[in-house]
Amino acid sequence: MYTTQMDAAKKGIITDQMRIVAEKEKMDAEVLRGLVAEGKVAIPANKNHSSLNPEGIGQGLRTKINVNLGVSKDCYDINLELAKAKKAIELKAEAIMDLSCYGKTQEFRRNLVEMSSAMIGTVPMYDAVGMLDKDLKDITVDEFFAVVERHAEDGVDFMTIHCGMNRATAERVKRNKRLTNIVSRGGSLLFAWMELNNQENPFYEYYDRLLDICEKYDVTLSLGDACRPGSINDSTDPAQIEELITLGELTKRAWARNVQVMIEGPGHMALNEIAANMLLEKKLCHGAPFYVLGPIVTDIAPGYDHITSAIGGAIAAANGADFLCYVTPAEHLRLPNLDDMKEGIIAARIAAHAADIAKGIAGAREWDNQMSAARADVDFPRMIELAIDPEKARMYRAESAPECEDTCTMCGKMCPMKNMKKILNGEDLSII
């Protein structure tokens, strides 16, 4: 008998979830079990999420991506958010985070868990204000934990909770001026609650109470980075590093209770800092899976932050990050729509795949080699079939029809692929 995936792994038990993940990853199940036992791989799988098709996150595995969605007071359309979730699963996102902060959040969350084969994550802090319908200052410690338990009971596989931003780190933020202060929504709410009530962060002070809930339902604890940089100016500063040290300490305490852990990271960060930050996180947090938002590598591109984050995400994952949170073109501007979401997912998947090639993940290069072979054969139907976004590739092909079917309108009869194939086959060549 076991309580969590980590508990089973430590006892030498290979669970059904481990077998499924091992098969997907082309990895020996016993090797995977060992990584789960060490905390270097997490398999978020709430006992109440019956529709889950499990995935692993961590060392030696494919880089996974997460999609954020959820209702807000300004954009309250549950049906649209469920449509986004279905599209995200269709586009092969491995995880969906429900960031709902207004209205019938539990109804939406339960529907999402019921229909989703992807992992579901939440940030209970967002829901506390909306669900309890109370001013932030007046929410009690017991009420915070009641919201966490409700999310766990509803089947959420992982929860982002900002446990590492204690009073000491809050003082560090105040002493070391940032351009963008605290940009984490959950982190800023906790900071405000602590300041308004002159109390310690309840999720830090009563951390064992949180672990009780996670262990009971096998919820993976995604240790949130309240002090993640919100601009490239603020990256790798004292507050970010102090919080990371605390997260490393909390990781060991969670593992001692057989609770799986992921560590959340930046944020906005210049290209030349990313590799060092990945190494620092893995060292300070004992090899726990690392989950990054971006990093966004320049602050000047609103409307294009799916690109700025994909650049940073590819570098981060190639240097050790295990899980990328997508960023859409609407980041910093508004709630994303379906088209924004698709752009963000494809950008994140490209970044993840590029990193998997660099990391030598089993089977990663094979996909690229198949595409290259199709190009050498001038086989456009096969190229479209292999494309990461076949719909867009098919649309572009249809929009500009070439004179010859086995070329495109860029090169026409001068197509090097077609001509090299002919010459090497000993065929005659005419480009007139």
Side-chain angles (χ1 to χ4, degrees):
M1 199 67 184
Y2 58 88
T3 55
T4 67
Q5 293 293 318
M6 176 173 267
D7 183 38
K10 288 179 181 178
K11 291 175 176 174
I13 299 169
I14 296 174
T15 64
D16 291 341
Q17 290 84 357
M18 291 179 205
R19 288 191 182 92
I20 292 169
V21 170
E23 185 176 347
K24 288 181 178 181
E25 301 288 345
K26 300 179 176 66
M27 177 180 281
D28 181 81
E30 179 59 28
V31 172
L32 178 66
R33 183 203 61 77
L35 291 169
V36 174
E38 292 180 62
K40 293 179 179 177
V41 166
I43 302 177
N46 188 308
K47 295 172 183 177
N48 292 341
H49 190 176
S50 57
S51 61
L52 177 68
N53 185 353
E55 295 282 357
I57 301 167
Q59 182 177 307
L61 309 186
R62 288 178 296 108
T63 307
K64 308 305 188 298
I65 72 160
N66 170 70
V67 169
N68 290 338
L69 46 79
V71 293
S72 69
K73 189 172 183 178
D74 289 317
C75 296
Y76 187 76
D77 188 336
I78 287 176
N79 291 331
L80 175 59
E81 297 309 301
L82 285 173
K84 286 182 185 177
K86 290 174 183 174
K87 189 67 174 177
I89 294 167
E90 178 187 320
L91 291 171
K92 302 179 181 179
E94 289 90 3
I96 296 170
M97 285 202 79
D98 172 20
L99 305 186
S100 295
C101 57
Y102 178 78
K104 296 181 180 179
T105 54
Q106 186 175 42
E107 178 186 335
F108 174 65
R109 183 169 57 252
R110 286 179 171 176
N111 286 337
L112 187 60
V113 170
E114 184 179 355
M115 60 78 64
S116 178
S117 57
M119 297 175 277
I120 300 298
T122 59
V123 187
M125 190 68 195
Y126 297 175
D127 194 23
V129 178
M131 187 186 83
L132 296 170
D133 195 25
K134 295 176 70 172
D135 284 336
L136 178 64
K137 180 182 179 181
D138 298 329
I139 298 175
T140 68
V141 171
D142 286 343
E143 286 172 330
F144 278 133
F145 280 98
V147 173
V148 170
E149 180 130 28
R150 181 174 293 188
H151 282 225
E153 189 177 13
D154 287 343
V156 168
D157 302 296
F158 65 99
M159 285 191 273
T160 293
I161 301 184
H162 301 86
C163 306
M165 215 257 308
N166 54 25
R167 294 294 293 274
T169 304
E171 287 303 313
R172 185 81 65 185
V173 171
K174 289 189 281 186
R175 288 198 304 271
N176 295 270
K177 182 63 179 172
R178 290 173 147 196
L179 274 179
T180 49
N181 297 310
I182 292 177
V183 299
S184 160
R185 194 188 335 175
S188 66
L189 290 170
L190 266 175
F191 181 91
W193 186 91
M194 292 160 64
E195 291 290 305
L196 291 168
N197 290 286
N198 193 29
Q199 289 189 45
E200 181 57 275
N201 176 353
F203 298 115
Y204 177 78
E205 186 173 4
Y206 305 106
Y207 187 60
D208 286 326
R209 187 173 174 180
L210 178 61
L211 296 179
D212 288 341
I213 297 170
C214 292
E215 183 181 20
K216 180 179 177 181
Y217 297 94
D218 198 2
V219 172
T220 297
L221 189 54
S222 188
L223 289 171
D225 53 336
C227 297
R228 73 169 180 262
S231 63
I232 61 171
N233 180 78
D234 296 342
S235 61
T236 326
D237 73 345
Q240 180 195 333
I241 302 307
E242 178 166 311
E243 183 182 31
L244 190 60
I245 292 169
T246 304
L247 295 184
E249 295 168 349
L250 295 175
T251 295
K252 282 193 167 182
R253 287 176 60 187
W255 286 347
R257 293 285 304 277
N258 296 317
V259 172
Q260 298 184 105
V261 170
M262 298 186 292
I263 307 297
E264 295 191 10
H268 295 233
M269 183 167 287
L271 284 170
N272 60 309
E273 294 181 46
I274 295 174
N277 268 263
M278 300 307 106
L279 176 62
L280 196 60
E281 184 280 337
K282 288 289 184 176
K283 286 282 190 181
L284 292 175
C285 296
H286 322 293
F290 198 20
Y291 174 25
V292 294
L293 178 67
I296 289 172
V297 295
T298 177
D299 299 327
I300 63 163
Y304 297 91
D305 278 327
H306 59 311
I307 297 173
T308 62
S309 69
I311 294 167
I315 295 169
N319 284 280
D322 308 289
F323 194 21
L324 303 181
C325 186
Y326 93 148
V327 174
T328 77
E331 184 78 6
H332 304 112
L333 300 170
R334 61 164 168 78
L335 195 73
N337 61 27
L338 267 169
D339 288 338
D340 300 327
M341 189 191 74
K342 179 181 176 180
E343 290 295 312
I345 290 173
I346 296 299
R349 285 190 61 207
I350 292 169
H353 179 69
D356 288 348
I357 293 170
K359 288 192 284 192
I361 297 298
R365 279 183 177 268
E366 183 181 342
W367 186 4
D368 292 70
N369 291 342
Q370 289 174 359
M371 176 63 85
S372 297
R375 285 177 173 152
D377 287 339
V378 205
D379 185 346
F380 283 96
R382 178 64 174 156
M383 288 183 232
I384 291 170
E385 178 189 340
L386 288 166
I388 198 165
D389 182 2
E391 182 182 6
K392 191 169 190 176
R394 190 176 296 109
M395 178 189 74
Y396 278 11
R397 177 76 176 156
E399 282 180 350
S400 186
E403 179 185 355
C404 302
E405 279 297 314
D406 57 351
T407 65
C408 76
T409 53
M410 173 70 77
C411 297
K413 289 184 177 181
M414 294 184 185
C415 172
M417 296 294 195
K418 176 182 177 180
N419 293 338
M420 285 299 299
K421 184 179 178 182
K422 282 193 168 189
I423 291 296
L424 291 173
N425 287 337
E427 299 175 29
D428 195 13
L429 181 64
S430 172
I431 57 173
I432 303 299

